[in-house]
Amino acid sequence: RKIEPYFDSGDPKFATELILLTASLKIPFVEIPVNYRSRVGESTIISHWYKLIRWAFKLMWFFFSFRAKWMLGKIKPNPENVFKVNNVCRGCESRDLVKFLDFGNQPAANSFQNKEELTGDEPRFPLEVYFCGNCNLVQLIHVVDPTAMFRNYIYLSSGIPKVSPYWQAYAQQVMADYLPEKNRFIVEFGSNDGILLKFFKDSGHKVLGVDPAENVAKIAEGRGVPTIVDFFGEVVASEIVKNHGRAEVIIANNVLAHTDDHQDICRGVKTLLAPKGVWVIEAPYLIDMFENLTYDTIYHEHLSFLSIRPLQKLFARHGLEIFNANVVQAQGQSLRLFVGYRGNHLVLETV
C-alpha cells in the first residue's frame, strides 16, 4: 500500500521498479535468492538481438525518468506515508472485528499541504470502520503514525469562539465536586494549549500538562502551564509520579479516542492516579453519530468511537470503573465520564 501510489509498471521491468521504489521510500525489505529452473521455450524479451537492444534502451529511459521524479520530490520518503494495521481490538484485544463502513483511501484530516507539497501525490490511507463483536467498541484498524499527525498540531482548544466559557464551567464543576481543598495536583494529558488547566491553576491548584505537539505546548507554557512534550502512557506517568507525586484529578479530553494503545493509557492512569482520585474523560459520543448523522467525525485521528459498554469492559481489565456519566453539548454530543478505582466511589444511576 505504501508504494502503490507510485507504482505504474505492468511489464517485465516491474521487479526493477519495485526494488527502486522500496529503496527510495526507505521501506525495509529482504531479497531472498531463488534457484530458477531452466527456461522452457523462448523469451519474448531477449530472444533476438534487436529485442534485447530495444529492452536495454527502454530500461535506461526508465532509470533516467525515475531519477528525475525522485530529484523533483515526486517520489520521496514521507513520515506521513506510514501506517500500521491493528487487527486486534484496542479495548478487549479480541480479533472478532467486522467492517461495516468503508470510505476508501483518504488523506489524513488537518494535513494541509504547503505550495511545494502540491506538486506530489498526497498520501492516502484506508478509512474503514469496524465493530468488535466481543466488547462492541467501534474503531478504525488502520493507524496512521501519530507523530506525523500530532507533533505540529493545528487545532487549539482556545481557538474556537465561545469555547473559553465552556472550559471554565468544566473546571468549576470538577473543582466543586472533587476538589474541596486548594493546592491539589491535576494532570491533563492531551492538554493542548493549556486553557483548561489555566482555570485550575488560577484557582490555586498545581497543574501539569502532557501533550505531544511542540507548537501548542509552547503556547501552554506561555500561559504559565508547565507541559511535558510527549505521548501519555505508563512510562510518562511513572516519571510524573517520581517528580511530582500522584494526581488527585487526571483529565483526558478527546484523547482516548485518538489513541491506539488503550491498555497503556489505563496502566498510565493507574500509575498516576491517587487512591481516591478521579479520571475525567470527555469524547464524542458514538450514539450522536447515528442519531444526528455526524459521520464527519470519522477520520484517521479518531481511532475509536466511544460508548459506555466497551469502556466498562476496558476499565474492568485494569481495576477501574465509571462511577458517573454525563452527556454534554460539545462537538455535537459528547460523553463526560468520571472514572476511579473499583469500589472507591459510589456508582451513580447516570451510568
Side-chain angles (χ1 to χ4, degrees):
R1 289 180 183 269
K2 295 176 186 177
I3 68 172
E4 185 178 3
Y6 307 105
F7 195 75
D8 60 8
S9 177
D11 62 24
K13 72 174 185 296
F14 79 92
T16 304
E17 184 177 7
L18 179 63
I19 293 173
L20 286 172
L21 282 172
T22 304
S24 299
L25 297 172
K26 295 186 178 180
I27 301 170
F29 70 98
V30 175
E31 186 174 4
I32 302 174
V34 177
N35 291 324
Y36 289 97
R37 294 184 178 181
S38 300
R39 172 178 295 278
V40 177
E42 193 175 70
S43 170
T44 59
I45 302 297
I46 59 173
S47 57
H48 300 286
W49 65 267
Y50 62 87
K51 289 185 178 181
L52 181 59
I53 292 175
R54 187 174 64 180
W55 170 246
F57 277 108
K58 188 175 182 180
L59 197 59
M60 287 172 63
W61 171 251
F62 169 72
F63 281 131
F64 285 127
S65 60
F66 185 93
R67 182 169 179 79
K69 289 180 182 178
W70 181 77
M71 292 179 68
L72 291 171
K74 294 185 177 182
I75 299 174
K76 59 182 179 179
N78 188 332
E80 294 182 1
N81 197 28
V82 176
F83 71 91
K84 68 176 183 179
V85 180
N86 182 3
N87 289 312
V88 177
C89 173
R90 59 182 54 91
C92 68
E93 300 182 312
S94 167
R95 293 186 178 273
D96 184 14
L97 299 176
V98 179
K99 180 169 69 173
F100 69 91
L101 203 55
D102 189 343
F103 292 97
N105 290 341
Q106 299 291 337
N110 298 326
S111 61
F112 299 108
Q113 296 186 303
N114 57 39
K115 184 177 180 180
E116 290 73 24
E117 291 172 326
L118 292 175
T119 59
D121 294 322
E122 184 174 9
R124 294 172 180 266
F125 314 98
L127 188 59
E128 303 170 359
V129 189
Y130 287 73
F131 175 80
C132 176
N134 183 54
C135 75
N136 306 145
L137 180 65
V138 174
Q139 58 202 287
L140 308 183
I141 68 169
H142 298 91
V143 183
V144 180
D145 183 359
T147 60
M149 292 192 292
F150 299 120
R151 283 302 185 194
N152 188 40
Y153 203 41
I154 65 169
Y155 174 85
L156 299 180
S157 297
S158 59
I160 300 176
K162 299 183 180 180
V163 80
S164 186
Y166 177 84
W167 296 123
Q168 184 175 19
Y170 185 145
Q172 289 172 344
Q173 181 201 0
V174 173
M175 288 187 287
D177 293 344
Y178 304 109
L179 295 169
E181 300 177 358
K182 302 289 185 182
N183 203 34
R184 301 294 89 189
F185 183 39
I186 300 150
V187 175
E188 181 183 8
F189 58 93
S191 51
N192 201 266
D193 59 10
I195 184 173
L196 177 57
L197 286 179
K198 182 71 163 55
F199 290 117
F200 287 100
K201 183 181 179 182
D202 291 347
S203 298
H205 296 287
K206 297 182 292 185
V207 300
L208 178 65
V210 181
D211 198 289
E214 297 177 4
N215 60 323
V216 296
K218 289 179 181 178
I219 299 173
E221 293 277 357
R223 282 198 167 100
V225 176
T227 303
I228 297 172
V229 180
D230 209 338
F231 293 95
F232 181 83
E234 188 174 13
V235 173
V236 170
S238 298
E239 286 297 312
I240 295 174
V241 172
K242 178 181 176 181
N243 296 323
H244 303 277
R246 303 182 82 177
E248 279 78 17
V249 170
I250 300 174
I251 299 173
N253 297 316
N254 304 307
V255 179
L256 196 61
H258 292 64
T259 306
D260 184 37
D261 194 343
H262 286 184
Q263 312 304 323
D264 187 44
I265 290 284
C266 290
R267 289 192 298 267
V269 168
K270 283 194 68 175
T271 299
L272 180 58
L273 190 64
K276 293 289 185 179
V278 178
W279 178 19
V280 189
I281 302 168
E282 188 169 292
Y285 192 17
L286 173 66
I287 302 302
D288 185 56
M289 182 193 299
F290 295 103
E291 290 184 345
N292 296 313
L293 304 179
T294 57
Y295 294 102
D296 57 336
T297 60
I298 300 174
Y299 51 95
H300 297 99
E301 286 180 24
H302 293 168
L303 292 172
S304 302
F305 305 90
L306 303 181
S307 56
I308 297 289
R309 185 185 300 168
L311 291 177
Q312 286 178 319
K313 294 181 178 181
L314 168 66
F315 297 150
R317 294 164 63 95
H318 297 273
L320 302 167
E321 67 180 354
I322 303 168
F323 64 87
N324 191 9
N326 304 142
V327 175
V328 296
Q329 299 304 310
Q331 300 187 63
Q333 292 187 101
S334 292
L335 279 176
R336 186 179 295 170
L337 306 176
F338 301 85
V339 181
Y341 292 107
R342 186 187 296 123
N344 283 9
H345 298 272
L346 176 66
V347 178
L348 303 180
E349 292 183 359
T350 55
V351 179

